[in-house]
Amino acid sequence: MAEYNPKDFELKWQKKWEKDKEFEAKDSSKKPKFFILDMFPYPSGDGLHVGHPRGYVGTDVIAHYMRMKGYNVLHPMGWDAFGLPAENYAIKTGIQPSISTEKNIKRFKEQMKSIGLSYDWSREINTSDPVYYKWTQWLFLLLFKKGLAYQEELPINWCPSCKTGLANEEVVAGKCERCGTEVTKKNIKQWVLKITDYAEKLLNDLDKLDWPEKIKEMQKNWIGKSEGADIDFQVKDSDLKIKVFTTRPDTIFGATFLVLAPEHKLVGEITTPEKSSEVKKYQEATKNKMDVERQLEEKEKTGVFTGAYAVNPANRKEIPIYIADYVLPYYGYGAIMAVPAHDERDFAFAKKYKLLIEKIELDKNIEQATKWLEKMGCAKKAINYKLRDWVFSRQRYWGEPIPLVFCEKCKEKIEKEDYKKGEFSKGELLNPGWIALSEKDLPLTLPKLEKYEPTGTGESPLAQAKDWVEITCPKCGGKAVRETNTMPQWAGSCWYFIRYTDPNNQEEISDKKLMKYWLPVDFYVGGAEHAVLHLLYSRFWIKVLYDEKIINFDEPFKKLITIGLILAPDGQKMSKSRGNVINPDDIIEKYGADSLRLYEMFMGPFDQPISWDTQGILGVYRFLEKVFNLSQNISEKTDSETKRLLNKTIKKVGEDIENQKFNTAIACMMEFINSAEKISLEDFKDFLKILSPFAPHLSEELYQSDKSIFKDNWPKYDKKLIIDSKIKIIVQINGRLRDTIEVESDSSEAEVKDMILQSEKVQKWIQEKKIKKVIFIKNKLINLVV
RNA sequence: GCCGGGGUGGUGGAAUGGUUUACACGAUGGACUUAAAAUCCAUUGGGCGCAAGCCCAUGUGGGUUCGACUCCCACUCCCGGCACCA
């Protein structure tokens, strides 16, 4: 007799599906569409580990299910291929990032194919491919021209020894990952996108989304809306005003000093000469202990008096102005009115520096206080967000070049206002001298370099490519230089799902009709680590595109599910350095792709983190073996109990897939196989259909048909068959289980009561006692209260 | 500190007001085998008992209910996120 050996047929079916284009989506169809998407991976040099497929198999199960339910399914895959590791690898080996990336992609793709994932590979995209990033650049120009991009001097992590900027991941405990030198900050002109313009929409539209509450909550906190008032404080003996934001304008009478962030722009101007050196020292100290260090520190407040005073507009009292690093430069206006009687932090500061703590009787609520201050002309109702604008440039090589040039001549023209209306875009006027490339010059391709080392000035390695940098201005034909910073990895992933609808289009981001048909994404699956950055940035770009009428939807992902991380058997995160990575290739080699798929789904709830247990695979392998063995033992007719169980299983598996409860769907199929006795070929085929999304290879192999199992419809279950004729009823006395009896289904209360009163067990518990109450639930339970 | 999610056998987990522990792993015993692997059968929360059976158990304490893993209150521990946010 034949034996279950997945190697005999898994590869065969993978090739056949590919040859038959079995899973390619049709751009027009009478069927309803369903766009199901995985977050695309960064193709690292390490290949896939068993954590990756969890999400991929989950979406694959749903994709197959929806196809069999009659949907036209778009299920694509691609590569988020720009990023730092490829660049670092190039520095070490001299190998072009494009070459190492290509190699990695090949490996990832082979691995994915060996799992039998039903991707439509004809739509594969790669963010580092000029055909793709042409449109990332085009989108950036759209934002730029709209005035949503501006330049600002911002600090980056800087290693004084390597003379290079560092990504946050390269800073370990405040030190450079490579050389161990203390990391400092360096100010660099950066491109910044005005995501804050969309803060309110991004916040409100969360309500429309079918996303996990947890993710919505995280975005809400990230956006961090608070309502209050802006209040101006006049600096004493000066024209200067200091603007603060407060959520408690009603406490203004208790404001006994002001505190500015050390980075506040007015600090230099207001500081008195005798305080100047002390203030400068404090500013310098703050600069060098930002971020990591600042957070690690005890919350002991420090600060310095500037020597200046401001006037409290409510009571005209003069109050001192301090600087302190507990006031953050990027929240509100980087300045607060300190109310020590009402705020713990202000209280601690006031105590330490012996400042006035004034208790106040609140005679106004927030609303009234704001109105009163507005009337006096010193305050305005205001809303503040924690959300900050998005720093969009990177001093890196391996990313999309920013398609802008800097032209001195155009800058002068704009500054002298010597230009015609419409000559410059909004973005060009906002950033004098910066000129957008014209659309026909896109893509602006990344030049190949010989050396990828940092420049030592903090500029991108691209600055070394003189031929590339020095060009003529597309506006005036004068001398100009290119922007040498590149875009962050998020740029390509902000909009990639759009490109799947029309991946080879040279004229447009995607055909309008195709976008209208396929978008938005119906079902999106990925790691919760992208809760704020990727998912928020993407929502932002989509809202801009919607406002520009390029697309007709304003949220990219209707439904989102997050996957739980797969941990190594030791409960730790899998990583090369820990040496605990489990490679799916080994699992497939030993047990086959179907077992890998099934185990990934069976381990536990889809959205919960879980440790890998290679032993556990045996269970699903044995199950598949039993399915195979049953196929070798088909009967003429299915016995009635098996028939009933099959119908129940069809119902349960369908419902479980729709709720992403893959583990219980599999458990239910196991129960069926464990107790199936006689089964006809027709019924066995129905079972194969519900198994096929999970174990496509074995299901196809056993299906015995001239067309693919996936061309067939999902089986229907017979409602009548699901009801058992005899039903076990739970018998309780005073709510405690004392017996169970079998009755005809739908037996009435009286019938059941008569039956159980004859039972010895029940009599024993009732004895002489009187039955006070009977609780009866049809087909389930009877409870006598005595 | 704040927000979110959790605590069920030796292990992963199932059950969202009605038989706690489905399904699976592991373990123990048995069959087959020269032997091992594989496979098959049985047992597998704890306690008492020869047995029928009874009692106890879903982090802790209380409450609601005929009946609570499930709902409510308080506490506790674990995991994830955010955090000097004015």
Side-chain angles (χ1 to χ4, degrees):
Chain A
M1 201 163 99
E3 279 177 27
Y4 174 52
N5 186 359
K7 275 208 185 117
D8 290 349
F9 54 81
E10 287 193 342
L11 191 62
K12 174 182 88 185
W13 285 109
Q14 285 163 16
K15 283 186 175 157
K16 177 131 174 54
W17 294 327
E18 192 170 352
K19 192 175 138 256
D20 295 349
K21 303 185 174 178
E22 189 62 48
F23 305 122
E24 287 188 8
K26 310 286 178 294
D27 279 333
S28 69
S29 170
K30 279 180 192 154
K31 296 175 180 176
K33 70 95 182 181
F34 187 73
F35 186 175
I36 178 157
L37 183 66
D38 291 290
M39 290 185 186
F40 64 161
Y42 170 72
S44 75
D46 302 334
L48 292 180
H49 61 67
V50 291
H52 288 101
R54 192 172 191 198
Y56 305 156
V57 175
T59 55
D60 207 50
V61 168
I62 297 168
H64 276 313
Y65 173 76
M66 293 305 274
R67 285 188 195 106
M68 293 171 88
K69 275 278 187 181
Y71 286 82
N72 183 26
V73 171
L74 174 56
H75 187 39
M77 181 43 80
W79 317 105
D80 193 10
F82 276 129
L84 199 52
E87 183 168 338
N88 286 341
Y89 186 73
I91 291 170
K92 226 176 8 182
T93 62
I95 294 171
Q96 259 288 326
S98 60
I99 291 169
S100 57
T101 299
E102 195 185 348
K103 200 179 110 209
N104 294 347
I105 287 175
K106 205 175 149 230
R107 169 132 174 75
F108 264 66
K109 200 167 160 182
E110 274 167 12
Q111 284 185 299
M112 286 184 181
K113 284 189 170 176
S114 75
I115 299 168
L117 298 168
S118 67
Y119 291 126
D120 178 351
W121 287 110
S122 72
R123 295 168 185 262
E124 178 181 354
I125 55 161
N126 169 352
T127 57
S128 69
D129 180 349
V131 175
Y132 179 91
Y133 69 66
K134 170 179 179 178
W135 298 103
T136 311
Q137 291 172 331
W138 181 83
L139 285 164
F140 171 80
L141 287 184
L142 185 90
L143 281 127
F144 175 80
K145 286 179 199 158
K146 233 183 119 121
L148 287 170
Y150 62 96
Q151 270 203 318
E152 194 178 24
E153 191 134 301
L154 284 168
I156 59 166
N157 299 311
W158 178 254
C159 173
S161 161
C162 303
K163 291 204 187 328
T164 180
L166 300 174
N168 284 336
E169 304 87 81
E170 295 174 299
V171 182
V172 179
K175 294 192 169 126
C176 173
E177 185 190 46
R178 274 174 276 191
C179 67
T181 308
E182 199 81 28
V183 172
T184 61
K185 294 275 159 178
K186 185 183 171 82
N187 278 338
I188 278 200
K189 278 234 174 184
Q190 305 262 38
W191 286 103
V192 181
L193 298 185
K194 281 190 191 169
I195 190 171
T196 50
D197 278 11
Y198 283 81
E200 195 63 28
K201 276 186 188 168
L202 289 168
L203 183 67
N204 291 338
D205 289 352
L206 283 172
D207 289 340
K208 313 203 269 206
L209 300 175
D210 183 4
W211 285 19
E213 274 315 307
K214 181 186 167 170
I215 305 291
K216 287 201 211 177
E217 200 58 37
M218 280 165 81
Q219 291 214 349
K220 238 178 242 174
N221 293 340
W222 190 264
I223 295 166
K225 179 179 179 173
S226 47
E227 292 179 45
D230 288 347
I231 302 176
D232 286 328
F233 285 76
Q234 189 74 45
V235 179
K236 191 192 161 198
D237 304 328
S238 157
D239 305 337
L240 296 172
K241 276 180 180 172
I242 291 169
K243 197 187 264 301
V244 306
F245 172 75
T246 176
T247 52
R248 298 292 306 276
D250 53 322
T251 63
I252 188 160
F253 286 96
T256 51
F257 55 99
L258 292 187
V259 187
L260 310 189
E263 297 89 343
H264 195 282
K265 285 198 179 85
L266 295 180
V267 174
E269 277 185 72
I270 61 168
T271 302
T272 56
E274 61 272 22
K275 290 285 175 187
S276 173
S277 74
E278 206 184 333
V279 163
K280 276 196 180 127
K281 220 170 106 192
Y282 188 81
Q283 283 178 314
E284 201 56 36
T286 305
K287 192 176 152 192
N288 288 331
K289 67 164 188 185
M290 277 175 74
D291 297 348
V292 181
E293 224 184 318
R294 197 154 157 180
Q295 282 162 26
L296 284 174
E297 244 173 275
E298 289 298 306
K299 292 185 181 177
E300 171 83 8
K301 303 273 173 294
T302 60
V304 183
F305 180 41
T306 60
Y309 289 84
V311 180
N312 182 329
N315 56 16
R316 314 305 303 170
K317 282 185 186 164
E318 287 176 13
I319 57 177
I321 305 173
Y322 275 70
I323 63 170
D325 65 7
Y326 82 90
V327 174
L328 305 170
Y330 302 111
Y331 186 74
Y333 301 102
I336 61 158
M337 63 175 208
V339 187
H342 281 265
D343 183 284
E344 250 177 71
R345 293 155 302 165
D346 298 344
F347 181 78
F349 191 82
K351 261 201 128 172
K352 181 164 173 184
Y353 294 98
K354 302 195 168 54
L355 295 162
L356 188 62
I357 300 170
E358 203 157 339
K359 281 241 162 80
I360 43 160
E361 292 298 317
L362 299 174
D363 62 342
K364 291 180 176 68
N365 64 27
I366 294 175
E367 192 77 12
Q368 291 168 336
T370 312
K371 276 195 186 137
W372 183 78
L373 287 165
E374 271 180 341
K375 228 162 140 188
M376 307 223 335
C378 54
K380 228 175 99 190
K381 205 170 165 178
I383 289 169
N384 221 302
Y385 301 92
K386 276 193 230 175
L387 184 69
R388 279 155 53 182
D389 278 339
W390 173 13
V391 181
F392 194 72
S393 42
R394 299 289 183 271
Q395 296 71 50
R396 293 286 164 191
Y397 168 73
W398 190 233
E400 300 89 347
I402 292 174
L404 297 176
V405 303
F406 187 79
C407 172
E408 277 295 343
K409 229 169 117 189
C410 288
K411 185 185 176 191
E412 271 173 39
K413 255 178 125 178
I414 291 169
E415 276 171 355
K416 287 186 188 150
E417 298 188 16
D418 175 24
Y419 57 87
K420 288 180 222 116
K421 205 183 161 204
E423 190 180 347
F424 292 103
S425 70
K426 209 169 157 190
E428 284 161 342
L429 295 175
L430 187 67
N431 300 284
W434 287 102
I435 303 298
L437 287 191
S438 83
E439 207 176 299
K440 67 172 174 28
D441 292 330
L442 299 182
L444 169 59
T445 52
L446 197 54
K448 288 194 174 155
L449 298 184
E450 306 234 324
K451 286 187 169 178
Y452 304 92
E453 274 82 6
T455 53
T457 57
E459 283 177 294
S460 153
L462 279 176
Q464 297 164 119
K466 288 268 178 296
D467 295 352
W468 183 80
V469 172
E470 290 165 8
I471 62 148
T472 53
C473 172
K475 196 123 290 181
C476 69
K479 265 193 185 171
V481 288
R482 290 194 195 280
E483 169 62 63
T484 58
N485 282 335
T486 54
M487 300 188 202
Q489 210 172 351
W490 311 113
S493 61
C494 259
W495 69 280
Y496 71 112
F497 45 93
I498 292 178
R499 193 63 180 171
Y500 284 131
T501 63
D502 195 6
N504 302 311
N505 196 325
Q506 303 281 334
E507 311 304 319
E508 292 172 277
I509 177 168
S510 167
D511 182 83
K512 276 233 154 53
K513 261 195 234 152
L514 291 174
M515 288 197 282
K516 202 175 168 198
Y517 177 64
W518 284 116
L519 297 169
V521 174
D522 296 287
F523 204 114
Y524 195 32
V525 175
E529 68 272 20
H530 295 114
V532 277
L533 299 176
H534 162 60
L535 287 170
L536 197 65
Y537 293 154
S538 189
R539 294 181 62 217
F540 163 45
W541 277 31
I542 288 307
K543 288 186 184 304
V544 176
L545 290 181
Y546 175 78
D547 287 350
E548 289 297 295
K549 298 192 166 53
I550 291 166
I551 52 177
N552 65 343
F553 57 96
D554 63 352
E555 281 293 339
F557 315 116
K558 274 206 260 184
K559 184 178 173 76
L560 173 77
I561 295 286
T562 53
I563 345 157
L565 202 66
I566 291 189
L567 306 167
D570 58 10
Q572 302 257 348
K573 222 170 147 175
M574 277 190 203
S575 79
K576 222 178 171 182
S577 57
R578 288 202 188 89
N580 58 4
V581 175
I582 301 201
N583 188 324
D585 300 357
D586 301 336
I587 306 291
I588 291 172
E589 174 62 25
K590 213 165 163 191
Y591 301 98
D594 283 338
S595 286
L596 173 74
R597 294 173 60 108
L598 220 54
Y599 182 58
E600 297 264 359
M601 296 294 95
F602 182 62
M603 305 174 75
F606 193 54
D607 58 353
Q608 269 174 44
I610 202 155
S611 291
W612 183 264
D613 173 19
T614 298
Q615 279 282 9
I617 294 207
L618 277 173
V620 295
Y621 182 83
R622 287 172 188 150
F623 162 66
L624 291 175
E625 205 168 27
K626 285 180 201 167
V627 173
F628 184 90
N629 293 341
L630 186 59
S631 78
Q632 306 294 301
N633 194 16
I634 295 293
S635 307
E636 279 290 304
K637 203 167 172 269
T638 308
D639 67 274
S640 64
E641 203 33 55
T642 302
K643 185 94 182 170
R644 178 166 18 254
L645 203 55
L646 177 64
N647 278 274
K648 277 187 172 173
T649 306
I650 291 169
K651 178 170 188 273
K652 169 87 173 149
V653 171
E655 286 168 357
D656 279 354
I657 292 175
E658 292 195 10
N659 295 308
Q660 301 91 51
K661 289 166 76 175
F662 306 117
N663 53 334
T664 52
I666 293 168
C668 177
M669 289 189 280
M670 285 175 167
E671 281 182 71
F672 173 75
I673 286 295
N674 287 343
S675 57
E677 287 175 16
K678 287 185 184 163
I679 191 162
S680 68
L681 184 60
E682 196 193 344
D683 284 337
F684 184 64
K685 280 184 156 185
D686 272 357
F687 175 75
L688 289 178
K689 283 183 203 164
I690 61 169
L691 176 67
S692 66
F694 298 90
H697 308 87
L698 180 65
S699 308
E700 277 280 38
E701 177 69 14
L702 301 180
Y703 198 57
Q704 296 182 32
S705 167
D706 47 5
K707 59 174 185 179
S708 168
I709 189 169
F710 299 109
K711 286 226 161 54
D712 270 324
N713 290 330
W714 190 256
K716 290 198 166 69
Y717 59 90
D718 187 338
K719 273 185 192 149
K720 279 175 280 174
L721 275 175
I722 282 176
I723 302 155
D724 299 283
S725 55
K726 291 253 183 189
I727 291 200
K728 235 205 263 174
I729 295 257
I730 296 154
V731 182
Q732 294 182 335
I733 314 287
N734 289 342
R736 303 202 55 150
L737 176 78
R738 295 303 178 193
D739 200 2
T740 56
I741 57 161
E742 250 193 21
V743 298
E744 296 290 319
S745 81
D746 294 339
S747 295
S748 71
E749 176 175 338
E751 285 170 320
V752 176
K753 194 178 158 192
D754 282 351
M755 275 178 77
I756 64 162
L757 285 177
Q758 284 162 31
S759 145
E760 258 179 59
K761 282 184 197 167
V762 172
Q763 279 304 327
K764 201 176 102 195
W765 285 101
I766 301 178
Q767 291 183 357
E768 303 299 302
K769 289 166 205 146
K770 223 173 122 189
I771 296 169
K772 274 198 270 182
K773 197 172 163 190
V774 179
I775 290 135
F776 180 75
I777 298 163
K778 200 156 99 181
N779 295 339
K780 204 154 208 177
L781 140 155
I782 183 157
N783 183 12
L784 305 180
V785 184
V786 297

